[in-house]
Amino acid sequence: METITQARPSLTNNDAAVLQALFDAESSPSSGVKVDPTLPSWPAAVNISQTDLTTLKTRETQIILNLQATSTPTEETVQTALKELNTLLEEYPTYPPAYTNRAQTLRLLADLEYNNHTTHSAKTESEPESITDESLFTPEASDLSSKIFADLGKAITLATPVSPADPISSVQARLLADAHTHRGYLLLKAARVKKTRPGVEVDSVGPERLRGHSADQLEEMASRDFFLGGRYGNKVAQQMAVQTNPYAKMCGAIVKEAMRKEMEG
């Protein structure tokens, strides 16, 4: 099923360079997932006929195409897409792709609302010109961020097999890879906001699952989602799982210190 953008972490050039230099992709978690291309797109629990699935795909694709008609959609365009996705999910509440696409659309809305807010208010000297996705972790975006996490969680719940040993379809694997990676990225962003922007109280805004957790705990949660995203086939998630794994980080720090001492010696 088409999505607005491929749900992968937006790494800075520096992050990407560091990741490529320090981590061997071959040592990332093994997928360990049985993908059977002959299986129906979604498990029986989704309970949607093939005829209805075909219709849903057509409707959803049109919503996304309308949203992508311009490089910078207006708030009105985004709100229209949200209304149409809401209607689709009211009719078919067990259709997983609509939840991931609604989560993406809500992220667009959060960015637009944040930009409108900062346009009409003075920026502080320390505030960057562009804060990608950090707009989700402000008091104004608390409701939106809660909805995004809820949609990603719902999509994952609907698409996850009953047993890890159960085979899944190619479509199912792709959605799980992207949804886990998307959620992992947002959790990682929340952890970094908490570390670098003390003026933003992550404990008092955003979804309930973020509150009361330290930055390190949020990063561990992100690592778990990246592990699962990698397990279902997202290559970037495999690398990010290594980067954010607390044990890997600890070992990396030990090796780095040993190399520093060796070089000094």
Side-chain angles (χ1 to χ4, degrees), residues 200-248:
V200 178
E201 294 294 335
V202 180
D203 283 343
S204 61
V205 299
E208 188 69 29
R209 64 175 288 154
L210 268 61
R211 301 179 189 180
H213 294 289
S214 68
D216 287 341
Q217 288 172 326
L218 289 172
E219 193 164 315
E220 288 179 23
M221 293 163 65
S223 183
R224 175 62 178 170
D225 265 322
F226 285 136
F227 170 80
L228 290 169
R231 186 172 184 271
Y232 287 111
N234 189 303
K235 300 299 184 183
V236 172
Q238 291 175 8
Q239 295 176 321
M240 293 299 290
V242 176
Q243 183 184 19
T244 55
N245 184 284
Y247 301 105

